[in-house]
């Protein structure tokens, strides 16, 4: 009943209704964090933008499709969660928040990212999974401090060559895309520690044994006929990994060996900035 009432109240833009949805949040919390996730919000209450010392703002699981220009006042913001909303375009005001370290944009309707995203030069973690991206926006390659990129469950077929410029990148999640070949740019990124290409359409894997930083590669649920070769100590998750041998040929036929183990999904807990 409570959630149903909130859903009805969300359609009424009066101040009284907003206070009900915010549970009378009128002063900035001592911990400098505001969590308005799952409040059925259709607009961000303007008084939140007056909390100029705010460090963390969680707006996940609402009905937002725009943000007010007053958000620019939150110049101390380090974490912004906009996932599970209705954004078709990233509001440009987000790109003015230059202290952002972590930005959650997953589960929206984004088809692109603005060039202004390059202004977020402190960004270390970017979540853009479960959107409508057919190409990884090249502006992502200009985020020089990026360490973690979650781009799964889109419609990516390739990755831009400029991605190799991200020398701080350690983890890349590409599960659930449309990759028919292993992205060649990843072969030139020796600093990568985790590569996830689960649930794509890759038929052949090149050797990854030359990547000295690699610790984990997830390649399950691909129509591949070989496992990627890796250096000693690197964990593989997929068919013919550590637990089972690669298929043997008999009379010209390939005997496939399935693996019960399934890859671990990316962490669901939202991390803190480093």
């Amino acid at each position: 009943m409570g959630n149903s009432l909130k859903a009805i109240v969300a359609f009424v833009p009066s101040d009284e209704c907003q206070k009900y949805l915010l549970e009378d949040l009128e002063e900035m919390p001592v911990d400098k964090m505001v969590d308005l996730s799952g409040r059925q919000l259709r607009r961000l209450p303007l008084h939140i933008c007056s909390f100029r010392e705010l460090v963390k703002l969680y707006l996940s699981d609402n009905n937002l499709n725009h943000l007010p220009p007053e958000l620019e006042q939150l110049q101390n913001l380090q974490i912004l969660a906009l996932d599970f909303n209705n954004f078709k375009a990233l509001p440009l005001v987000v790109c003015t928040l230059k202290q952002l370290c972590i930005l959650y944009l997953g589960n929206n309707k984004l088809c692109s990212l603005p060039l202004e995203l390059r202004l977020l030069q402190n960004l270390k973690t970017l979540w853009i999974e479960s959107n409508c991206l057919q190409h990884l926006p090249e502006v992502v390659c200009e985020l020089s401090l990026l360490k973690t990129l979650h781009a799964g469950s889109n419609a990516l077929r390739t990755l831009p060559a400029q991605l190799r410029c991200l020398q701080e990148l350690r983890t890349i999640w590409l599960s659930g895309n449309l990759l028919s070949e292993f992205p060649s740019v990843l072969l030139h990124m020796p600093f990568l520690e985790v590569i996830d290409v689960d649930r794509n359409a890759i038929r052949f894997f090149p050797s990854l044994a030359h990547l000295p930083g690699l610790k984990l590669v997830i390649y399950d649920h691909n129509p591949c006929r070989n496992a990627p070769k890796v250096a000693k100590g690197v964990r593989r998750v997929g068919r013919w990994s550590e637990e089972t041998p690669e298929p043997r040929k008999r009379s010209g036929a390939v005997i496939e060996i399935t693996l019960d183990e399934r890859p671990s999904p990316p962490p669901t807990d939202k991390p803190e900035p480093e």
Side-chain angles (χ1 to χ4, degrees), residues 227-245:
K229 293 182 179 180
V230 294
K232 185 178 180 180
V234 178
R235 185 181 177 217
R236 299 182 298 178
V237 177
R239 292 188 296 173
W240 321 306
S241 61
E242 290 87 353
E243 291 78 8
T244 56

Side-chain angles (χ1 to χ4, degrees), residues 5-261:
L5 181 57
K6 284 186 176 181
I8 295 173
V9 170
F11 280 95
V12 183
S14 69
D15 291 339
E16 290 75 13
C17 291
Q18 286 293 304
K19 287 184 178 180
Y20 173 76
L21 292 171
L22 296 178
E23 298 177 359
D24 293 325
L25 178 62
E26 297 181 359
E27 296 182 1
M28 189 183 76
V30 177
D31 60 5
K32 299 181 180 181
M33 178 185 77
V34 169
D35 188 352
L36 299 178
S37 300
R39 303 292 183 92
Q40 308 289 335
L41 296 175
R42 293 182 176 273
R43 61 184 176 90
L44 178 65
L46 287 182
H47 78 274
I48 298 297
C49 300
S50 68
F51 299 166
R52 301 199 176 193
E53 299 302 315
L54 200 65
V55 173
K56 307 171 189 176
L57 178 57
Y58 296 96
L59 300 172
S60 307
D61 193 19
N62 281 293
N63 297 305
L64 300 172
N65 57 29
H66 69 281
L67 294 172
E70 289 83 357
L71 189 73
E72 185 177 4
Q73 300 175 36
L74 303 183
Q75 286 300 311
N76 289 302
L77 206 62
Q78 296 181 30
I79 300 178
L80 177 60
L82 299 174
D83 45 331
F84 293 94
N85 276 285
N86 294 317
F87 291 103
K88 294 182 179 180
L90 179 65
L92 292 182
V93 67
V94 172
C95 302
T96 68
L97 306 175
K98 297 182 180 180
Q99 296 305 314
L100 279 183
C101 296
I102 302 176
L103 178 58
Y104 297 98
L105 300 175
N107 291 273
N108 279 285
K109 302 173 182 177
L110 301 174
C111 294
S112 63
L113 293 174
L115 293 177
E116 288 82 355
L117 189 72
R118 62 165 65 105
L119 299 175
L120 301 183
Q121 285 299 307
N122 284 308
L123 206 62
K124 295 181 179 179
T125 299
L126 177 62
W127 295 61
I128 51 176
E129 78 285 0
S130 299
N131 275 286
C132 305
L133 298 170
Q134 296 184 9
H135 308 280
L136 183 68
E138 292 186 4
V139 67
V140 172
C141 303
E142 299 185 44
L143 303 174
S144 60
L145 296 184
L146 199 66
K147 290 188 174 182
T148 302
L149 175 61
H150 292 264
S153 299
N154 280 285
L156 305 180
R157 296 180 182 272
T158 60
L159 296 180
Q162 297 92 321
L163 194 68
R164 64 192 299 180
C165 297
L166 296 183
Q167 298 191 14
E168 296 298 321
L169 194 66
R170 297 295 180 266
T171 304
I172 186 166
W173 305 91
L174 298 167
S175 175
N177 277 288
L178 301 176
L179 300 171
S180 59
E181 297 181 357
F182 185 82
S184 59
V185 65
L186 301 183
L187 301 176
H188 303 285
M189 301 177 70
F191 30 81
L192 283 175
E193 297 179 358
V194 177
I195 298 175
D196 176 16
V197 289
D198 179 36
R199 300 183 187 280
N200 277 278
I202 301 173
R203 294 186 175 277
F204 174 78
F205 280 95
S207 174
L208 306 179
H210 66 288
L211 299 179
L214 195 61
K215 297 178 181 179
L216 170 65
V217 56
I218 303 173
Y219 63 95
D220 210 4
H221 303 98
N222 280 279
C224 56
R225 296 296 182 181
N226 73 308
K229 293 182 179 180
V230 294
K232 185 178 180 180
V234 178
R235 185 181 177 217
R236 299 182 298 178
V237 177
R239 292 188 296 173
W240 321 306
S241 61
E242 290 87 353
E243 291 78 8
T244 56
E246 293 195 27
R248 295 173 295 166
K249 291 184 178 179
R250 287 184 182 175
S251 301
V254 175
I255 301 175
E256 294 189 6
I257 303 174
T258 59
L259 180 66
D260 290 333
E261 182 181 8

